[in-house]
Amino acid sequence: MKILVVCMGNICRSPTAEAVLRTRAENKGLLIEVESAGTIDYHHGEKPDSRSAAAAKSRGYSFGRKKARGVTQEDFYYFDQILAADKQNLADLQGICPSEYQYKLALFLQGAGLETEEIPDPYYGGEQGFEHVLDLIESGSDKILAQL
C-alpha cells in the first residue's frame, strides 16, 4: 500500500500526517509507504514548519529529512490512495488528476467519525492549532490503518 497525503504547501499538515501515519503503521507492523506533497510548489525544498516539527516531536514523531514538494502527475499513477487535508486541496487534486485515477482521491479524515472531515491549516494560528491538527491526524491515521 502506498499513500500520499496532500495539503497546500507541504510544510504543516501533510508532513505531519506523513510522520504520524508512517509511525503508527510501523508500530502495528504494517508495511506501507507514506509520502506527502503540496498542491502548490511555493515551499519546494523547504523543511517542515518548525512549529509542526516541535509539536510532532513532543509526541514522538519525526519528520526526518522531509523537504516540501509539489504533487506530480506521476503521483496519481504511483500511489494507491491520495488523501487531501481539506476540501479545497481535494478540489485542486481533482482538477489535475487524470480521470482514470480520480477514484484514488479522498479526504484524509473522511469516514473517521470526527466532527469534521477537514484538517484545519494551523499556519497562521498559535501553537494550540498544531496540537489540534495532531489530534485529528492521529484519529484519522488510526481509522485509515484499521481499514487496511
Side-chain angles (χ1 to χ4, degrees), residues 8 15 19 27 35 39 42-43 51 53 57 59 64 68 77 82 84 97 99-100 130 137-138 143 148:
M8 187 172 65
N27 290 345
E35 288 187 35
T39 57
Y42 179 76
H43 295 285
R51 297 165 297 172
K57 185 177 180 180
R59 296 195 194 186
Y77 166 78
I82 302 172
C97 180
S99 60
E100 65 266 28
F130 292 90
I137 289 172
E138 287 177 335
K143 180 70 173 180
L148 295 181

Side-chain angles (χ1 to χ4, degrees), residues 38-114:
T39 57
I40 63 169
D41 211 12
Y42 179 76
H43 295 285
H44 184 83
E46 292 180 22
K47 292 180 181 180
D49 185 283
S50 61
R51 297 165 297 172
S52 285
K57 185 177 180 180
S58 74
R59 296 195 194 186
Y61 304 111
S62 170
F63 291 158
R65 296 176 179 231
K66 175 68 185 166
K67 304 267 186 187
R69 72 172 184 87
V71 173
T72 67
Q73 285 297 305
E74 293 80 27
D75 290 332
F76 298 113
Y77 166 78
Y78 183 76
F79 289 95
D80 300 306
Q81 292 183 3
I82 302 172
L83 305 175
D86 62 35
K87 291 176 183 175
Q88 183 59 57
N89 301 141
L90 181 59
D92 292 342
L93 289 168
Q94 290 167 333
I96 61 172
C97 180
S99 60
E100 65 266 28
Y101 300 123
Q102 289 281 328
Y103 72 94
K104 297 180 177 188
L105 306 177
L107 290 170
F108 187 88
L109 296 179
Q110 190 169 320
L114 300 172

